Amino acid sequence: MALGLGIVVYWATQSGPAAAIISAFKSRVIADGGTVESPSCAKSDVKFLLDNPAPSTYDADYQAVLDRSTALGYTAPSPAQQTLQNTLVTDLKTAGVWDKLDVFYVFATDGDSNFATLNWKAPSSHQVTKVSSPTFTADSGFSGDGSTAYLDTNFSIANDATNYTQNNASAFTYFVSDLSQTDFVAYGARNDVDPNKVRNQLRMRSTDYRPAINDDRPIIAADYRSNNWHHQKRTTSTGFTTFLDSTSFTNTISSKDISDLDFSMRLLTLHFKTTGGTSNLFASAEGTMKVFGLGEALDNTDLKDAIDTYISAL
Amino acid sequence: MIVLKATQAQYEALDGYRNGDNLLKFAKDGNDNWIVGTAVLNDDAFAAIHDQLNALERIEYVPVPEPQNEIE
C-alpha cells in the first residue's frame, strides 16, 4: 500500500484532532486496499474533512459542558458516559425540567473530579469549589470526611437565583448514606440572624429528618437516611412537600423572605450565618452525593426518572 | 477522629490556599480550635504545602455544639 508523498507529509505535520481525522482517513484508504486517486486528491479530501468537521451529535447545552471541560484542561467522561449524560440533559429538557433549573451538578461521573465540579446549567459560572479535600470516587460522587471537607457551590440563593423564588422552589439531591453517620447535613444554607431566620437545608439524623426550603426547620420523627432521593418542593407560602425514594409527605410551614440567604449554598455541610459571620455548622457528611440541583418547583416524577435512569446506567 | 489543629500563625499562613478549584479552609471545632481534616495530607492539590500541613498538631475532633434553637 502506498500513500502519496503529499498526504504522508501532510499527515506527519498534524497533531491533535487533525491527526485523528487524517489517521482515520488513512485507515479508510488502507481498508479500501490502498487506492488513492492521487496525492493531491487525497490531500484535498483530508483538507475538506478538516474544514468541515462533523457537527456534534450532542445537545448544545451538554456540548457546552464538554467544551468548558476541554477549555479548562479537565478529563471528560468516557464516550459511553457522554452519551448517557447527553441523554440525561435531553430527558430533562423533554420533561420541561431543564429550563427551570438554576444550578445542576452531576458528581457521579467517570470524568475526573474537576469535570464533576462543573455546573451543567451554566458551565462557566458557579463551579463547585472542593474545600479541604472531599473524596471523589469515579462513577459515585463526592463525600465529606466527617470534619471539615465539603463542596461550595458559590451560588447564593438571594443573589444568583433566577428561577428559584420564595414560593416556587425546588432543591434536590441523590445522596447515598452508609448509615454510619447518625447526624449530618447533606446540603444547606441557613441564616440564623433575627428577624428573618430562614434556611434551605437537608439534615438527616437517625432519630428524625429535618428538611427546609425557605422556612425554619420542620422536624419529622423518622429515619430517612436510607433513602437516596431527596427533593424539597415548595409551591405555596403555606407549606412544602418532600419526595423520597418511594414516598412523600407535606409539611405545613410558612415560607420566609429569602433575601437573607445571601451567602453560598454548601454541600456535605451547612453554611451557617450568625451575627458573628458565616461558618460551617456540623461535621461534613460522609455519605456520597451523586447529584445536586436547585430551581423553580420541579415535577418530581420527571426529574427523578431522568436522574434514576442515569444513575442506574453507571 | 483525628484532625489537624493550626495555631493562629499557621492558620493565617495556610487558610485560603487555593490550587485551581481546590481550596484549603480551616473550621472551628467545639473547643474553638482551627482544624482541618487529615485528607488534605493526601491531596495532590495541596502538595506544595504538604510540609506545612504535616507540621500541624494532631488532635481528636470535638464537634461544634448544637445551636440552642436546634435542641428539642
Side-chain angles (χ1 to χ4, degrees):
Chain A
M1 129 105 243
L3 288 172
L5 178 62
I7 185 65
V8 171
V9 171
Y10 192 67
W11 175 51
T13 60
Q14 303 302 310
S15 62
I21 293 171
I22 294 169
S23 178
F25 177 83
K26 180 186 174 186
S27 297
R28 288 197 299 275
V29 170
I30 293 171
D32 287 346
T35 301
V36 177
E37 298 91 333
S38 69
S40 62
C41 182
K43 186 174 178 178
S44 66
D45 284 351
V46 171
K47 186 174 186 308
F48 177 83
L49 288 172
L50 291 171
D51 293 342
N52 299 277
S56 169
T57 57
Y58 293 141
D59 175 271
D61 285 309
Y62 180 61
Q63 185 61 50
V65 178
L66 294 176
D67 291 347
R68 180 64 174 166
S69 169
T70 300
L72 294 172
Y74 297 165
T75 300
S78 63
Q81 189 168 100
Q82 288 181 24
T83 300
L84 292 175
Q85 294 185 342
N86 183 67
T87 299
L88 173 55
V89 172
T90 57
D91 283 352
L92 292 173
K93 288 190 171 185
T94 300
V97 167
W98 181 262
D99 287 344
K100 298 177 180 178
L101 294 167
D102 279 324
V103 292
F104 183 52
Y105 303 99
V106 179
F107 303 127
T109 177
D110 65 7
D112 65 8
S113 68
N114 295 317
F115 180 85
T117 65
L118 294 173
N119 169 20
W120 285 23
K121 191 65 201 302
S124 296
S125 62
H126 303 118
Q127 182 176 356
V128 157
T129 300
K130 295 172 284 185
V131 182
S132 299
S133 307
T135 299
F136 174 75
T137 304
D139 280 340
S140 187
F142 283 107
S143 56
D145 62 355
S147 60
T148 61
Y150 62 93
L151 300 169
D152 196 324
T153 65
N154 301 296
F155 177 89
S156 152
I157 286 172
N159 298 326
D160 300 318
T162 56
N163 295 316
Y164 181 109
T165 60
Q166 179 175 336
N167 296 316
N168 187 1
S170 275
F172 60 89
T173 187
Y174 194 107
F175 184 93
V176 179
S177 168
D178 64 4
L179 308 182
S180 63
Q181 209 172 8
T182 58
D183 185 357
F184 59 86
V185 174
Y187 62 81
R190 168 180 169 184
N191 187 325
D192 210 42
V193 181
D194 285 325
N196 185 38
K197 293 178 179 176
V198 59
R199 66 182 87 176
N200 179 330
Q201 73 167 39
L202 178 57
R203 182 179 180 186
M204 288 185 261
R205 309 202 313 166
S206 57
T207 52
D208 53 55
Y209 185 81
R210 303 184 180 199
I213 182 162
N214 309 337
D215 52 66
D216 193 15
R217 189 200 56 164
I219 299 178
I220 296 90
D223 181 1
Y224 289 131
R225 292 175 301 149
S226 62
N227 284 260
N228 295 327
W229 179 247
H230 305 267
H231 174 196
Q232 272 65 248
K233 175 180 177 180
R234 178 180 284 280
T235 57
T236 73
S237 63
T238 56
F240 72 93
T241 299
T242 295
F243 298 92
L244 299 165
D245 287 352
S246 57
T247 189
S248 65
F249 56 86
T250 297
N251 288 101
T252 301
I253 185 166
S254 297
S255 68
K256 304 184 82 173
D257 180 8
I258 59 174
S259 63
D260 289 323
L261 288 175
D262 56 352
F263 48 97
S264 63
M265 170 63 71
R266 289 180 177 170
L267 314 180
L268 306 173
T269 190
L270 175 63
H271 199 179
F272 186 62
K273 182 177 183 179
T274 65
T275 51
T278 65
S279 61
N280 286 339
L281 186 65
F282 307 118
S284 65
E286 296 178 78
T288 304
M289 184 171 286
K290 296 176 179 291
V291 171
F292 177 79
L294 285 171
E296 69 177 71
L298 303 168
D299 181 276
N300 181 69
T301 300
D302 291 338
L303 174 65
K304 182 175 182 296
D305 283 353
I307 291 173
D308 279 348
T309 297
Y310 173 72
I311 296 292
S312 63
L314 297 178
Chain B
M1 178 190 345
I2 298 297
V3 295
L4 306 174
K5 172 191 169 186
T7 64
Q8 187 64 30
Q10 289 170 322
Y11 164 77
E12 290 171 4
L14 294 170
D15 190 65
Y17 174 85
R18 180 179 281 274
N19 180 3
D21 54 2
N22 300 275
L23 178 68
L24 182 80
K25 287 294 289 181
F26 289 90
K28 288 280 188 151
D29 73 359
N31 286 336
D32 207 32
N33 292 314
W34 287 118
I35 62 157
V36 70
T38 56
V40 298
L41 298 173
N42 300 312
D43 191 337
D44 290 343
F46 301 134
I49 56 170
H50 273 168
D51 287 348
Q52 292 161 277
L53 293 171
N54 267 310
L56 302 178
E57 181 183 356
R58 271 72 167 168
I59 63 170
E60 188 68 28
Y61 175 67
V62 177
V64 177
E66 185 118 358
Q68 193 61 38
N69 67 349
E70 285 281 3
I71 299 171
E72 306 310 307

